[in-house]
């Protein structure tokens, strides 16, 4: 990804409108006498910076006892595969991993080739980040693709701002469609966000769960009441899971969710009228397939380790 980004810098800039800064080369890297190429030495330096930067978000606890990994957890690659396979309309020639934007990710947990992240300006851009979700311009997501995924940090205020910003993007997409003079089936204005957040409907949450619910409640209600609301799916606790954020430091990769999770589908009005795509999103077949893609793989991984040693199959992006 690092070499791809810098070899295709001009192409990425033309799509995102955001630039990649020149890499600062520390003197110790310039003086390095190893057999590695200069680009490889710089890559190692940047990887170190990424590891330290994101570990600091959890107070450095990941470096001591692996706590805080849930802060950067990600959805399974099988979810992206499922979305890519099922969310195709007659007007979309190819919906694949390349045009599903991960709105909240990092170089450590990203699966799609397009993603937004918080440290874009000085670090994450070297690994493919297109910018901070809250700072990308209106119309940005439509240039990448029609369907995008958001699994935001479950932090106070963050999720409320996310919903507000999404509604602004959806409203802008509809305005583009309304102002478009083209009637040839163009995709202008068709925008969908698939949002993963803590569910606030369960009455069986423990004390820690109540804190999560408190933080998520406002955004949860905002999406339920949103004029762009299309569907709500609840994934039950222990029946689904995530990819552990600190997978690069742990013997296992997957974790089982201890709380209910909600999957919201928000669509522009133009997208909701798409007779090819929208019925799939609201169907029971789509919901069942999404549940299967989200199903926890933690126990399966543990069984594979017990039966086959330490060889674990790691999902890789094509």
């Amino acid at each position: 990804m690092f070499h791809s980004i810098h070899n295709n810098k001009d192409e990425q800039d033309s799509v995102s409108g955001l630039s990649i800064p020149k890499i600062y080369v520390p003197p110790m890297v310039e003086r390095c006498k190893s057999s590695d190429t200069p680009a490889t030495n710089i890559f190692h330096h940047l990887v170190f910076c990424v590891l330290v930067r994101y570990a600091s978000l959890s107070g450095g606890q990941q470096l001591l006892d692996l706590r805080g990994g849930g802060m950067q957890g990600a959805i399974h690659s099988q979810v992206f595969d499922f979305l890519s396979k099922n969310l195709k309309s007659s007007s979309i020639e190819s919906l694949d991993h390349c045009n599903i934007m991960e709105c909240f990710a990092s170089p450590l947990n990203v699966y799609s080739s397009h993603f937004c992240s918080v440290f874009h300006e000085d670090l994450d851009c070297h690994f493919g980040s297109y910018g901070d979700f809250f700072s990308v311009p209106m119309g940005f997501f439509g240039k990448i693709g029609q369907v995008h995924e958001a699994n935001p940090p479950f932090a106070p205020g963050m999720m409320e701002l996310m919903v507000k910003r999404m509604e602004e993007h959806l409203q802008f997409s509809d305005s583009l469609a309304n102002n478009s003079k083209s009637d040839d089936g163009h995709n202008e204005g068709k925008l969908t966000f698939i949002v993963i957040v803590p569910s606030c409907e369960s009455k069986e949450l423990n004390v820690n769960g109540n804190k999560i619910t408190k933080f998520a409640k406002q955004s949860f209600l905002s999406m339920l009441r949103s004029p762009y609301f299309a569907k709500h799916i609840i994934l039950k606790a222990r029946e689904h899971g995530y990819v552990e954020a600190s997978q690069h430091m742990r013997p296992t990769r997957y974790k089982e969710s201890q709380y209910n999770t909600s999957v919201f589908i928000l669509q522009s009005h133009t997208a909701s009228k798409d007779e090819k795509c929208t019925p799939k999103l609201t169907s029971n077949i789509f919901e069942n397939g999404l549940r299967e893609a989200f199903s926890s793989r933690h126990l399966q991984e543990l069984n594979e380790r017990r039966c086959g040693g330490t060889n674990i199959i790691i999902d890789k992006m094509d």
Side-chain angles (χ1 to χ4, degrees):
M1 177 68 80
F2 170 80
H3 294 285
S4 174
I5 291 304
H6 286 278
N7 289 338
N8 299 281
K9 177 181 179 296
D10 294 338
E11 179 181 344
Q12 187 189 40
D13 289 351
S14 65
V15 174
S16 67
L18 304 171
S19 61
I20 299 176
K22 182 180 179 181
I23 301 176
Y24 166 69
V25 182
M28 64 178 295
V29 174
E30 289 186 327
R31 295 193 301 265
C32 181
K33 302 298 183 181
S34 71
S35 59
D36 292 332
T37 65
T40 299
N41 288 329
I42 293 172
F43 170 73
H44 291 162
H45 170 76
L46 290 173
V47 168
F48 172 78
C49 292
V50 166
L51 291 171
V52 174
R53 178 76 65 84
Y54 280 95
S56 69
L57 289 179
S58 59
Q61 291 174 337
Q62 284 186 359
L63 302 179
L64 296 176
D65 54 14
L66 301 181
R67 286 185 292 170
M71 292 180 64
Q72 288 288 318
I75 63 176
H76 296 152
S77 61
Q78 287 84 353
V79 177
F80 288 104
D81 294 338
F82 174 79
L83 295 177
S84 300
K85 180 180 179 180
N86 288 272
L87 296 184
K88 293 182 179 180
S89 70
S90 59
S91 59
I92 305 178
E93 294 183 358
S94 176
L95 177 63
D96 55 29
H97 308 127
C98 294
N99 53 21
I100 295 181
M101 175 70 73
E102 292 187 56
C103 298
F104 298 88
S106 79
L108 298 177
N109 67 10
V110 66
Y111 182 70
S112 173
S113 58
H114 289 169
F115 71 101
C116 291
S117 63
V118 65
F119 299 123
H120 161 81
E121 289 188 359
D122 67 335
L123 189 56
D124 294 354
C125 55
H126 300 298
F127 297 92
S129 173
Y130 275 75
D132 176 9
F133 170 79
F134 297 103
S135 64
V136 296
M138 290 293 114
F140 168 79
F141 291 105
K143 294 179 181 179
I144 302 297
Q146 297 181 32
V147 180
H148 305 292
E149 176 269 346
N151 178 26
F154 303 155
M158 173 73 75
M159 289 183 284
E160 293 96 307
L161 290 174
M162 175 199 69
V163 177
K164 181 179 179 180
R165 187 63 173 171
M166 284 182 174
E167 290 184 338
E168 291 174 352
H169 279 286
L170 293 167
Q171 183 180 24
F172 181 82
S173 294
D174 280 332
S175 68
L176 286 180
N178 294 333
N179 295 330
S180 176
K181 297 181 181 180
S182 172
D183 57 358
D184 58 357
H186 190 59
N187 295 324
E188 200 79 79
K190 296 180 181 180
L191 182 62
T192 298
F193 288 107
I194 297 178
V195 189
I196 296 93
V197 294
S199 179
C200 296
E201 293 190 346
S202 175
K203 299 180 180 180
E204 301 176 355
L205 296 175
N206 55 27
V207 176
N208 187 42
N210 287 333
K211 294 180 181 178
I212 297 175
T213 302
K214 180 180 178 181
F215 296 156
K217 184 176 181 180
Q218 186 58 48
S219 60
F220 181 89
L221 294 176
S222 295
M223 284 187 281
L224 277 179
R225 300 166 181 171
S226 174
Y228 303 102
F229 171 85
K231 189 175 181 65
H232 177 213
I233 301 171
I234 298 179
L235 306 175
K236 296 296 184 180
R238 302 182 185 279
E239 293 181 3
H240 71 288
Y242 296 91
V243 176
E244 177 63 62
S246 55
Q247 57 179 299
H248 55 286
M249 302 173 66
R250 291 174 177 268
T252 55
R253 184 169 190 252
Y254 300 104
K255 63 179 296 183
E256 183 179 79
S257 178
Q258 304 301 307
Y259 310 105
N260 289 358
T261 293
S262 284
V263 179
F264 283 96
I265 299 177
L266 303 180
Q267 288 188 299
S268 65
H269 299 309
T270 307
S272 66
K273 297 175 183 178
D274 187 336
E275 297 181 355
K276 295 293 184 179
C277 186
T278 298
K280 292 182 179 180
L281 286 171
T282 57
S283 69
N284 290 332
I285 295 177
F286 177 85
E287 179 175 336
N288 292 337
L290 191 65
R291 290 183 184 279
E292 174 60 27
F294 262 104
S295 62
S296 176
R297 285 158 173 77
H298 180 61
L299 293 179
Q300 176 184 344
E301 182 181 37
L302 292 179
N303 290 333
E304 289 176 353
R305 285 178 59 82
R306 294 190 186 101
C307 298
T310 58
N311 293 326
I312 299 178
I313 299 177
I314 302 296
D315 295 325
K316 295 183 178 180
M317 183 173 62
D318 294 335

